[in-house]
Amino acid sequence: MSITRTVLKVFSAALLLFAAQTSKAQLVVIPHDTTICGQQLTITAQLNSPTGTQQFLSDDAYTGVINIGFTFNYYGNNYTQLVIGSNAVLNFNLTNAGGYCTWPINGAIPGNANMVNAIMGPWMDVNPGTGGGINYATTGVAPNRKFIATWCGVPYFGCSNRLLTTQIILYETTNFIEVHLGERTTGCTWNGDYAIEGVQNANATLATPVPGRNFPQIWGAINSGHRFEYVAGAYIVNPIPYLPVPINNAGNIQWFNGPITNGNLVGTGSSITVSPTVPTTYYAMVTQCADTIFDTCHVEIGVGDSIDYTTYVEPSYCGFLDGSIQLHGLSPGDTFIVNYTNNGNPFPPFQVIIPLDSTVNVPNLGAGNYTLWAVNNGCATPPVNVVLTDPPFDLDSVTAVNPTICGANDGYIKFWNADLPNTGYIVNYNKDGVPQPPANLNSDASRHVVLSNLGPGTYDNIVFENMFGCQTGPFGPFTFVEPPFSVDFDTTVRFSCVADTVNFFDLSVGVTQYAWDFGDGTTSNLASPSHVFMTQGVFTVTLTGTNGFCTDSKSVTIPLVHPLDAEFTVSKDSICNGETIVFTNNSIGTAGYRYAWDFGDGTTDTAFNTSHTYTTDGIFDAKLTIVDFVPCTNVEIRPIVVASLDIEIGPKDTSVCLTDPMVLYSTTFAPPYFSGGISYTWSPTADLTSSPNGPETQFFTEVPGTYQFILNAVGYPMGCAASDTLTLFVQPKPVLVNVTPNTMIKYGETIQLNAEGVLYYIWTPPATLDNPNISNPIGRPTEPVVYTVIGMNEHGGCRDTANVQVDIDYTMNEFIPSVFSPNGDGKNDLFRAVNLKYQRVVEFRVFNRWGKEVYSAQDMNRGWDGTYNGAPQDPGVYTYIIRVTVPDGDIRTYKGNVTLIR
């Protein structure tokens, strides 16, 4: 082996080691080193990368829901599924599955709500619909599995000559996140040339971008790696070595017949077939995104020998392994490895030194198609083919015997003159076209072989195989039939009102045991039972019969349905008096039933459907009686509520004088059946001053005339209606004019009163009037008074009223003397106030000069006679107080001095 080859192997091993460490794809060529001797050689290359699934996404799209393969914790939440976005993102919001992957970048993270609960590796607008590929895979074993998503060579949107290659890796257990970015270049003005590499939580409040790779920074990178680690509720990011991104695409493998720098391209694809004549090293090379990987196969050229001819010995008995093949013409003294196959199945090769006669014996062979060749120093002889054949193997004759009874399966087929006595055979056969389990049978001393325990059916394709695998046949077809066997029965029915009786009569053939299922949960083992069905219905009665081997059954549907269920519906079960109800007969029964209706109010009918008009209030039991053919009777009763509604308006028709709104009321006459209440409607509504939808309302107008009102009432739920009419005559109002104004007269004078404009007058109070029923009476009041005049016109209902206030002037000059002389001469003997007429004294007291009261009275006519307790008082000056009232209620007080002289 050359030094160059050794270096290549070491370099290849180093590449494989690096790939194993970095999860890079491996290219393995099979074989690596070999020797050929003039024949063709097929070399294959296997590109090994993590098992993955390629996603063919269109622009701005999410995948369906993808299983991660393990539980991954992101921002403190556990996830087992995610979706992949075409714009280089992993998103844990499963509602995005199959939906729109946002591309506009108009804000930094955290805070950019366009991409939440997502890993951005980096998030930018790319279009897998125009090229590249997106793959994902779960690799490794628990608890160290990885979920890997790869975007390989995906064109930028708007700049398809620029490609994005990147990979996001999620780690089980550690929950690390790695982003390995192969290349991102700047200079594409689409979407502002923005891209964000980082992570952000579900509500855009927490995020960790790679430093320098956030909005609105314009950045580029080649072969960069970063790891995100969740610590104390937030992610930290650190740079790590870049792992080249692997993509499994064996169709891009190229083959060279020398080093890649100066070799010739000899093929593409996963394999090539070559026929080199000189030692040659073949190189397999594939470009994986930004990486090139390769492996080699070195082919040496050897010198071969040949087999001149063959002889053989056939097996002595079918299946024996005593045949042999002899190979002639190989070089004596050389060591060969002899290889051979039988019918394409390889046998263990053996090594042999060729004897002087150049003959190699291959022993212990059975029948078959053999291919043989010998190999010396890596060079094989051209193969030779030899066919060995077994001697014939056959049976002489066949006898078939039908089963003796149904189900016994005691039929058999006897084969005569087997090749050997007391020998085991495997028998394969079909029954009714279906392969049966192989039977292991032995021939007896007479070389008979019996295939037994056969039931009815057609047996064919019967093949015998001896212990050596030799076969004879096929035999058949043989059709076996059984003796007749059937289950049958007949029935008679006897109906009744309570239960129906059915008699069963057995008509079966070959049955020895009976099992009846009457379909109502009861059974019988009698041959011909009778059964009472306690309920009505359609019953499926099944008889199952057997003779110990065969089983048959028969099912008969027995309709025992003669329902007697009186049912009816009514068009209404609550009606107004005089209304008609339609009765609909829904009774369950058969033709020929008789029907009798009783409406509960003394009337009946016999029609199937009927109607009835109720003319009396009350609750009536409507009854339907039906009678069937048995005869049996059934009754249905439904209560019918009949009600009437009546109303009366109050007051009755009348003539009114309206000064205030008048209450119009009503009296309702209704039974207690109107559970839904009674509605009222007054009309017309023009002069109604309150709601027109109640049992009473109010009416007012200032326009005299005749008015008519209608009240309509409806009682629910029956809807019974009633109405009443009220006619009102609104009287014109009289008006008093030229009424005497309020005035004042002197005490004792008269006053002429006056009023005009009406037909009738009434003055009050009448005591001081000369005639209270004329328009101009004369009044003689002695105290203040208010005269009221009431005026009426010819209708007498409306009145007008006016008041005349007459005040009295009580002005008078009361005289109180200042001196009196009580000497008994009849002149000026009393001290008193004089000139009093209508005044009334309420207080009259006299005091001496020491303030002692010497006189008190309320009768001014008596006066003070100058004595105290009958004793004359001394002359002198005395003080007095006099209080008098007048008819208008005023009190006048007089105080002063009076001189008593004698």
Side-chain angles (χ1 to χ4, degrees):
M1 182 177 293
S2 66
I3 294 176
T4 302
R5 180 64 177 165
T6 303
V7 170
L8 288 173
K9 291 285 285 184
V10 171
F11 179 66
S12 177
L15 287 176
L16 291 173
L17 176 60
F18 177 74
Q21 292 172 342
T22 64
S23 299
K24 180 179 178 181
Q26 301 176 13
L27 186 65
V28 179
V29 172
I30 302 173
H32 275 292
D33 299 288
T34 189
T35 301
I36 64 173
C37 295
Q39 70 267 35
Q40 290 183 330
L41 174 66
T42 298
I43 309 173
T44 61
Q46 179 176 330
L47 184 62
N48 298 326
S49 64
T51 302
T53 302
Q54 186 167 6
Q55 292 295 313
F56 299 95
L57 286 176
S58 60
D59 187 30
D60 302 328
Y62 278 107
T63 66
V65 175
I66 295 173
N67 292 322
I68 300 174
F70 52 84
T71 300
F72 184 76
N73 187 278
Y74 184 65
Y75 273 107
N77 298 310
N78 289 331
Y79 298 94
T80 59
Q81 295 176 314
L82 51 73
V83 293
I84 299 176
S86 62
N87 293 327
V89 297
L90 299 183
N91 199 302
F92 294 98
N93 285 349
L94 303 186
T95 56
N96 290 325
Y100 167 64
C101 182
T102 308
W103 63 266
I105 302 176
N106 51 19
I109 62 171
N112 191 328
N114 286 338
M115 187 60 62
V116 296
N117 212 21
I119 302 170
M120 310 168 206
W123 172 32
M124 59 181 291
D125 192 8
V126 294
N127 186 3
T130 60
I134 300 175
N135 297 268
Y136 70 90
T138 300
T139 66
V141 295
N144 299 307
R145 290 171 288 191
K146 295 182 289 185
F147 180 85
I148 305 171
T150 306
W151 290 257
C152 181
V154 181
Y156 292 16
F157 189 94
C159 301
S160 59
N161 60 329
R162 299 173 185 266
L163 306 178
L164 173 68
T165 296
T166 188
Q167 186 177 83
I168 301 175
I169 305 175
L170 309 182
Y171 287 83
E172 184 180 19
T173 305
T174 63
N175 296 304
F176 290 161
I177 302 169
E178 291 184 2
V179 177
H180 296 275
L181 176 59
E183 182 178 19
R184 164 174 159 73
T185 60
T186 61
C188 181
T189 59
W190 174 257
N191 202 21
D193 203 12
Y194 298 132
I196 298 176
E197 182 179 352
V199 296
Q200 182 168 246
N201 70 352
N203 54 16
T205 57
L206 295 175
T208 301
V210 173
R213 300 183 184 182
N214 201 352
F215 179 90
Q217 297 157 328
I218 306 300
W219 59 273
I222 298 177
N223 298 344
S224 75
H226 288 88
R227 172 177 290 170
F228 296 83
E229 183 178 357
Y230 193 62
V231 178
Y235 277 95
I236 59 174
V237 59
N238 291 297
I240 59 173
Y242 167 70
L243 302 182
V245 178
I247 297 296
N248 188 353
N249 189 356
N252 293 330
I253 296 175
Q254 294 178 303
W255 296 86
F256 298 87
N257 62 357
I260 297 173
T261 57
N262 57 13
N264 296 317
L265 180 67
V266 296
T268 60
S270 60
S271 66
I272 59 171
T273 300
V274 296
S275 300
T277 58
V278 296
T280 304
T281 299
Y282 293 92
Y283 289 77
M285 184 269 289
V286 67
T287 299
Q288 298 285 297
C289 292
D291 303 302
T292 299
I293 54 178
F294 66 92
D295 198 7
T296 63
C297 172
H298 183 73
V299 181
E300 292 287 345
I301 305 300
V303 179
D305 206 341
S306 63
I307 299 171
D308 293 342
Y309 67 95
T310 61
T311 58
Y312 60 88
V313 178
E314 303 275 15
S316 62
Y317 179 75
C318 182
F320 278 16
L321 301 178
D322 56 357
S324 63
I325 299 175
Q326 295 76 44
L327 308 178
H328 303 276
L330 297 177
S331 298
D334 287 347
T335 299
F336 281 82
I337 296 176
V338 178
N339 299 270
Y340 63 102
T341 64
N342 182 8
N343 298 324
N345 298 312
F347 281 77
F350 62 91
Q351 183 173 300
V352 63
I353 300 174
I354 306 304
L356 294 177
D357 63 358
S358 301
T359 300
V360 176
N361 185 51
V362 183
N364 304 322
L365 303 180
N369 295 322
Y370 289 89
T371 299
L372 305 96
W373 68 97
V375 179
N376 172 253
N377 293 326
C379 293
T381 66
V384 296
N385 296 313
V386 178
V387 178
L388 299 183
T389 306
D390 278 325
F393 165 58
D394 203 357
L395 295 175
D396 194 355
S397 60
V398 180
T399 300
V401 178
N402 280 317
T404 59
I405 61 174
C406 178
N409 293 331
D410 57 354
Y412 63 89
I413 303 173
K414 179 182 286 188
F415 299 86
W416 302 75
N417 299 324
D419 55 348
L420 294 173
N422 302 315
T423 301
Y425 297 90
I426 297 175
V427 180
N428 291 282
Y429 64 99
N430 293 344
K431 178 183 179 183
D432 297 328
V434 179
Q436 303 297 303
N440 294 306
L441 305 179
N442 293 311
S443 61
D444 59 17
S446 301
R447 297 189 297 154
H448 299 154
V449 180
V450 179
L451 182 60
S452 58
N453 300 322
L454 302 181
T458 298
Y459 298 85
D460 61 1
N461 200 28
I462 303 173
V463 175
F464 280 73
E465 181 178 328
N466 66 10
M467 69 183 72
F468 305 109
C470 296
Q471 295 181 345
T472 184
F475 300 95
F478 304 99
T479 300
F480 287 2
V481 295
E482 288 182 317
F485 180 88
S486 65
V487 170
D488 194 11
F489 63 90
D490 198 0
T491 62
T492 61
V493 180
R494 186 174 71 252
F495 294 98
S496 73
C497 294
V498 178
D500 298 327
T501 301
V502 180
N503 298 313
F504 298 90
F505 304 96
D506 177 39
L507 303 176
S508 303
V509 176
V511 175
T512 59
Q513 299 176 33
Y514 300 85
W516 293 87
D517 183 344
F518 297 116
D520 62 351
T522 60
T523 60
S524 175
N525 294 322
L526 299 177
S528 298
S530 293
H531 181 63
V532 177
F533 290 86
M534 301 305 298
T535 60
Q536 293 187 21
V538 177
F539 299 92
T540 299
V541 178
T542 301
L543 170 60
T544 301
T546 182
N547 63 358
F549 297 104
C550 285
T551 299
D552 189 17
S553 64
K554 177 181 179 179
S555 296
V556 173
T557 299
I558 300 178
L560 300 179
V561 180
H562 50 103
L564 193 62
D565 188 3
E567 292 184 6
F568 65 91
T569 58
V570 293
S571 56
K572 295 173 69 174
D573 59 5
S574 297
I575 64 171
C576 303
N577 194 317
E579 192 174 351
T580 298
I581 295 180
V582 176
F583 293 83
T584 301
N585 191 338
N586 299 317
S587 299
I588 299 176
T590 57
Y593 281 40
R594 289 175 289 140
Y595 305 92
W597 296 90
D598 185 342
F599 301 113
D601 62 350
T603 57
T604 60
D605 197 355
T606 58
F608 183 78
N609 293 320
T610 186
S611 62
H612 182 63
T613 302
Y614 285 89
T615 59
T616 305
D617 289 358
I619 299 178
F620 303 93
D621 287 333
K623 178 170 63 176
L624 171 61
T625 302
I626 63 174
V627 182
D628 67 3
F629 65 92
V630 176
C632 301
T633 301
N634 191 253
V635 176
E636 167 81 355
I637 298 176
R638 296 178 68 93
I640 304 297
V641 177
V642 181
S644 40
L645 179 68
D646 193 16
I647 58 172
E648 289 184 3
I649 299 178
K652 298 297 183 180
D653 296 349
T654 187
S655 173
V656 296
C657 178
L658 291 183
T659 57
D660 296 304
M662 177 182 182
V663 175
L664 307 183
Y665 60 90
S666 64
T667 302
T668 303
F669 304 94
Y673 309 136
F674 297 107
S675 58
I678 299 174
S679 67
Y680 299 87
T681 304
W682 293 83
S683 64
T685 61
D687 296 304
L688 298 182
T689 60
S690 62
S691 171
N693 301 119
E696 68 177 40
T697 187
Q698 291 185 348
F699 161 67
F700 180 77
T701 182
E702 293 184 347
V703 180
T706 300
Y707 294 83
Q708 188 176 74
F709 296 94
I710 299 174
L711 173 59
N712 292 305
V714 179
Y716 297 97
M718 284 85 93
C720 299
S723 65
D724 194 13
T725 302
L726 170 65
T727 301
L728 294 177
F729 176 73
V730 178
Q731 302 174 8
K733 294 181 180 179
V735 178
L736 291 168
V737 296
N738 298 326
V739 178
T740 302
N742 295 339
T743 188
M744 177 181 289
I745 64 173
K746 292 287 185 176
Y747 181 83
E749 294 180 349
T750 63
I751 182 171
Q752 178 75 53
L753 300 175
N754 186 74
E756 299 175 0
V758 298
L759 186 61
Y760 303 104
Y761 301 87
I762 300 174
W763 291 84
T764 61
T768 59
L769 297 175
D770 63 342
N771 186 349
N773 299 120
I774 60 176
S775 64
N776 53 351
I778 295 175
R780 298 180 182 275
T782 59
E783 59 185 18
V785 65
V786 175
Y787 290 103
T788 299
V789 59
I790 300 173
M792 295 179 291
N793 55 24
E794 68 273 16
H795 300 290
C798 286
R799 302 181 179 187
D800 192 14
T801 302
N803 294 320
V804 178
Q805 181 172 334
V806 178
D807 290 325
I808 304 299
D809 184 1
Y810 294 101
T811 302
M812 298 192 72
N813 294 320
E814 297 93 349
F815 174 72
I816 301 176
S818 60
V819 177
F820 78 106
S821 54
N823 52 14
D825 61 357
K827 298 179 180 179
N828 201 21
D829 289 332
L830 296 176
F831 172 62
R832 60 183 177 181
V834 296
N835 201 24
L836 295 180
K837 295 182 180 179
Y838 49 84
Q839 299 91 333
R840 183 173 62 85
V841 176
V842 294
E843 182 180 4
F844 179 20
R845 291 190 295 168
V846 179
F847 304 90
N848 61 22
R849 59 183 177 175
W850 293 284
K852 181 178 180 180
E853 183 181 280
V854 296
Y855 179 76
S856 175
Q858 289 183 336
D859 185 359
M860 186 57 70
N861 292 323
R862 288 174 54 194
W864 180 40
D865 60 0
T867 64
Y868 176 68
N869 292 331
Q873 296 295 303
D874 295 334
V877 179
Y878 291 81
T879 301
Y880 64 86
I881 295 177
I882 299 173
R883 286 188 177 90
V884 297
T885 63
V886 293
D888 63 0
D890 283 346
I891 297 177
R892 299 175 182 174
T893 302
Y894 300 94
K895 296 181 180 180
N897 296 322
V898 61
T899 302
L900 187 155
I901 59 175
R902 294 203 180 265

